Amino acid sequence: MSDTSDLLFTGADWDFEKVQRAYDAIEQIAKGEMGLVTYPNQIEVITAEQMLDAYSSIGMPLMYKHWSFGKHFARDETLYRKGMRGLAYEIVINSSPCISYIMEENSMAMQTLVIAHAAFGHNHFFANNSLFRQWTDARGILDYMEFAKSYIAKCEERHGHAAVERVLDAAHALMSHGVHKYPRKRTPDLRDEEKRAAERRAYQEQMFNDLWRTVPKKAAAKMDSQELAERKRRLGLPEENILYFLEKLAPKLADWQREIIRIVRKISQYFYPQKQTKMMNEGCATFTHYTIVNRLHEMGKLSDGAMLEILHSHTSVVFQPDFDDRRYSGINPYALGFAMMNDIKRMCEAPTDEDRAWFPHFAGNGDPYGTLREAWADYRDESFILQYLSPALIRKLRLFKIHDESDSPHMNVAAIHNERGYREVRKALARNYDIAHLEPDIQIVDVDLAGDRRLILHHFVESGQMLDEAETIRVLRHIANLWGYEVRLLEIESGTDVVLKTYDDVAPVAEL
């Protein structure tokens, strides 16, 4: 039994001295033993109401005003006050310094857990994963959010709250279709965004005027295939980043409206890597906090009582209901991520013959933390599952694949626990984390420049998954409001080019 003088803290109450002492001990293990590399940390203690406010504004410390944030705050606060939902123990911001918000209501044991989880687990993943390094500017995001907040506030003063809100409503409706999905030529630097705004507007005005100056004079003029191809080339079509296209080429938008669309688009791009790495990111953070608190307990720095409190919270987070449990709502990303990280560690330290056959490149290498750091840096959820999900873990989690056709009264168990089945299960599970499969593929394919300037979009339908009609019409209306003219959408079956449904000529209803 360790002497109580070795403990980082005693009792449930915390103070800043205890938090600092715990942080120093956690940092020593995270960086000294696990080899984690992080952004500088900034830890802020907030109240429950401040946590609810952070929820409502997508977790950002600086955010412009919009009615939807207030709506989310009112809903979350009502549920919280009625005891119908809890609050997260922390929120962490992908920035440099990395900001971790911890709740003042947390006990000291929970503060220890969330510092290990957020300030070192999530922080390391943000700082090292290739998607985050490629698509986000952690050092510039806080400055950019300050610019965005002040810019939109100035627009409200100059053009009126209602006018700004209409642009934001339309842009928010299209946020998931406002990202570039392929690498850009340079790393973004959001700190210089305000400085470049004037140059960008001048360039866009020149490009915009040149495009619309060359519109054919006769509406009925027919274009041959070469002219059509040239028109699409000049327009950059097809284009799946709808907000980008509207920002650059919508004929009726004012400069301030284009800048607001750009702000929403930049924020959407900032969150794009998080959508692709939810399971890995949470798995990394959960594995990190579990490893660190166990080491602290082994070293006599955490009491048995504190460790039991931490483990109670940990097991709740990684709990995975069975498929026939009424609480089942899918695979818990914390559970799968943590299980895969632990399984990789097991295979590095004590592999079976099966592990060596399936994973010869790292099984038995004796370097679990190095192997994990490499995986955290180079993969996203889909590719991580394809590369690292083992037959042993498939058996442990009792995973299997179901083939379910909507027009068939029966389901078919399509893959079980044999060599072929393991590969099928792994492939099917990975597909469920593929953003390209989860989000509809909608592209702007043409603009009727010679006629009524109608914007034409295609939705390429996969596996028969059609768009919801009412929701689609509402979103098309937002596109039409930004474009200024009618919009048409065709739902086309991928692979056959058969038109399944047409949304004809949705017209703008609001003058932006």
Side-chain angles (χ1 to χ4, degrees):
M1 177 74 68
S2 299
D3 190 275
T4 55
S5 62
D6 294 333
L7 296 175
L8 295 173
F9 57 86
T10 56
D13 294 336
W14 64 269
D15 57 43
F16 289 105
E17 184 181 342
K18 291 179 181 178
V19 169
Q20 183 65 58
R21 194 158 58 241
Y23 178 91
D24 292 341
I26 290 166
E27 183 177 40
Q28 187 175 357
I29 297 169
K31 295 187 174 180
E33 297 184 19
M34 299 182 69
L36 302 188
V37 178
T38 65
Y39 294 128
N41 272 307
Q42 179 177 323
I43 298 174
E44 300 186 11
V45 182
I46 62 174
T47 64
E49 186 165 318
Q50 288 172 316
M51 182 66 81
L52 286 165
D53 186 55
Y55 276 9
S56 68
S57 57
I58 58 176
M60 299 303 293
L62 293 165
M63 197 63 181
Y64 54 79
K65 296 177 182 178
H66 189 253
W67 63 266
S68 63
F69 302 146
K71 176 182 175 183
H72 292 154
F73 179 87
R75 179 200 63 193
D76 292 339
E77 183 185 36
T78 300
L79 293 174
Y80 174 65
R81 302 299 178 200
K82 290 184 176 181
M84 298 172 66
R85 69 165 297 170
L87 294 179
Y89 294 113
E90 43 74 32
I91 288 180
V92 59
I93 310 298
N94 170 29
S95 61
S96 180
C98 181
I99 302 174
S100 299
Y101 294 120
I102 60 178
M103 290 265 286
E104 69 174 7
E105 289 88 345
N106 291 348
S107 67
M108 188 57 218
M110 293 310 302
Q111 304 293 36
T112 303
L113 182 148
V114 298
I115 289 171
H117 182 94
F120 290 94
H122 282 308
N123 189 345
H124 173 86
F125 196 87
F126 289 148
N128 294 275
N129 181 264
S130 58
L131 281 177
F132 284 91
R133 293 175 67 85
Q134 183 177 65
W135 290 110
T136 66
D137 177 18
R139 289 174 177 81
I141 185 63
L142 298 180
D143 291 332
Y144 184 71
M145 292 308 300
E146 186 175 1
F147 156 72
K149 183 178 180 179
S150 72
Y151 184 88
I152 290 177
K154 289 174 184 174
C155 287
E156 288 177 337
E157 290 175 8
R158 293 173 186 167
H159 307 287
H161 178 79
V164 172
E165 189 173 89
R166 284 194 294 271
V167 179
L168 284 173
D169 286 347
H172 283 184
L174 294 164
M175 278 188 85
S176 61
H177 299 284
V179 296
H180 291 298
K181 299 180 181 178
Y182 304 101
R184 289 169 287 179
K185 293 180 180 178
R186 59 181 177 82
T187 302
D189 183 1
L190 297 178
R191 286 171 294 186
D192 294 333
E193 191 68 24
E194 189 169 14
K195 200 164 45 179
R196 294 197 306 268
E199 297 174 15
R200 183 171 62 250
R201 283 195 295 271
Y203 170 76
Q204 287 174 357
E205 185 176 346
Q206 179 186 354
M207 176 181 170
F208 175 84
N209 289 339
D210 183 58
L211 172 68
W212 292 99
R213 178 180 57 78
T214 58
V215 172
K217 303 298 183 201
K218 293 184 178 179
K222 280 281 185 180
M223 285 189 173
D224 60 30
S225 58
Q226 188 173 353
E227 290 174 320
L228 183 62
E230 175 61 16
R231 181 177 78 188
K232 289 190 174 185
R233 186 195 67 78
R234 290 176 62 82
L235 290 168
L237 298 178
E239 176 59 71
E240 61 185 356
N241 189 334
I242 297 173
L243 280 182
Y244 176 81
F245 183 89
L246 294 171
E247 174 204 332
K248 302 298 183 187
L249 295 173
K252 294 185 176 183
L253 293 180
D255 288 344
W256 66 270
Q257 293 169 323
R258 296 182 197 279
E259 192 64 41
I260 288 177
I261 292 173
R262 181 178 176 84
I263 286 170
V264 174
R265 184 169 66 79
K266 287 289 185 183
I267 294 171
S268 182
Q269 191 74 57
Y270 168 83
F271 284 105
Y272 185 58
Q274 299 194 27
K275 294 165 67 174
Q276 299 183 76
T277 56
K278 170 73 173 175
M279 182 270 293
M280 281 191 73
N281 200 340
E282 296 300 351
C284 169
T286 305
F287 176 84
T288 297
H289 83 232
Y290 183 79
T291 301
I292 289 173
V293 296
N294 272 282
R295 284 290 293 126
L296 290 174
H297 186 247
E298 290 170 7
M299 296 161 67
K301 294 181 180 293
L302 283 182
S303 68
D304 291 345
M307 190 65 185
L308 284 172
E309 181 182 351
I310 289 171
L311 288 177
H312 176 74
S313 173
H314 171 83
T315 53
S316 299
V317 166
V318 300
F319 173 65
Q320 174 62 61
D322 290 334
F323 76 95
D324 55 354
D325 189 311
R326 62 185 301 176
R327 294 167 294 180
Y328 180 81
S329 60
I331 294 178
N332 178 356
Y334 292 83
L336 180 60
F338 179 64
M340 288 191 67
M341 306 311 167
N342 269 328
D343 195 49
I344 291 170
K345 182 174 183 287
R346 174 194 65 79
M347 289 189 284
C348 289
E349 295 177 335
T352 63
D353 291 340
E354 179 185 55
D355 296 328
R356 293 183 187 278
W358 279 71
F359 305 100
H361 57 294
F362 71 86
N365 67 7
D367 183 19
Y369 298 139
T371 303
L372 284 167
R373 290 196 305 269
E374 181 181 333
W376 294 336
D378 295 339
Y379 294 89
R380 62 178 187 266
D381 289 349
E382 175 206 10
S383 56
F384 179 68
I385 290 170
L386 285 171
Q387 186 71 19
Y388 288 98
L389 183 63
S390 72
L393 188 58
I394 290 173
R395 291 193 296 269
K396 181 179 179 180
L397 297 178
R398 295 185 291 177
L399 300 175
F400 55 93
K401 178 186 174 184
I402 290 289
H403 184 70
D404 184 14
E405 291 285 352
S406 58
D407 57 354
S408 172
H410 304 291
M411 292 188 298
N412 177 41
V413 179
I416 56 172
H417 295 170
N418 54 36
E419 182 166 351
R420 180 179 177 183
Y422 294 136
R423 298 188 188 279
E424 286 295 317
V425 167
R426 188 161 67 175
K427 184 178 176 182
L429 183 60
R431 186 171 173 80
N432 284 333
Y433 289 87
D434 181 4
I435 292 295
H437 174 66
L438 297 177
E439 295 186 345
D441 179 10
I442 300 174
Q443 301 178 22
I444 298 172
V445 296
D446 201 4
V447 180
D448 187 6
L449 295 179
D452 55 14
R453 298 184 178 179
R454 181 191 294 113
L455 192 67
I456 301 170
L457 299 92
H458 287 174
H459 169 224
F460 296 97
V461 178
E462 293 280 352
S463 305
Q465 295 182 354
M466 305 280 284
L467 300 174
D468 177 79
E469 184 172 345
E471 188 71 19
T472 300
I473 291 173
R474 282 195 290 269
V475 174
L476 289 176
R477 192 82 66 196
H478 283 302
I479 297 175
N481 288 341
L482 293 175
W483 178 245
Y485 296 94
E486 291 180 347
V487 175
R488 173 181 294 173
L489 171 69
L490 282 70
E491 295 201 76
I492 298 174
E493 187 174 43
S494 292
T496 67
D497 293 334
V498 174
V499 177
L500 303 175
K501 187 177 180 66
T502 300
Y503 293 86
D504 255 330
D505 305 337
V506 178
V509 295
E511 190 67 41
L512 294 180

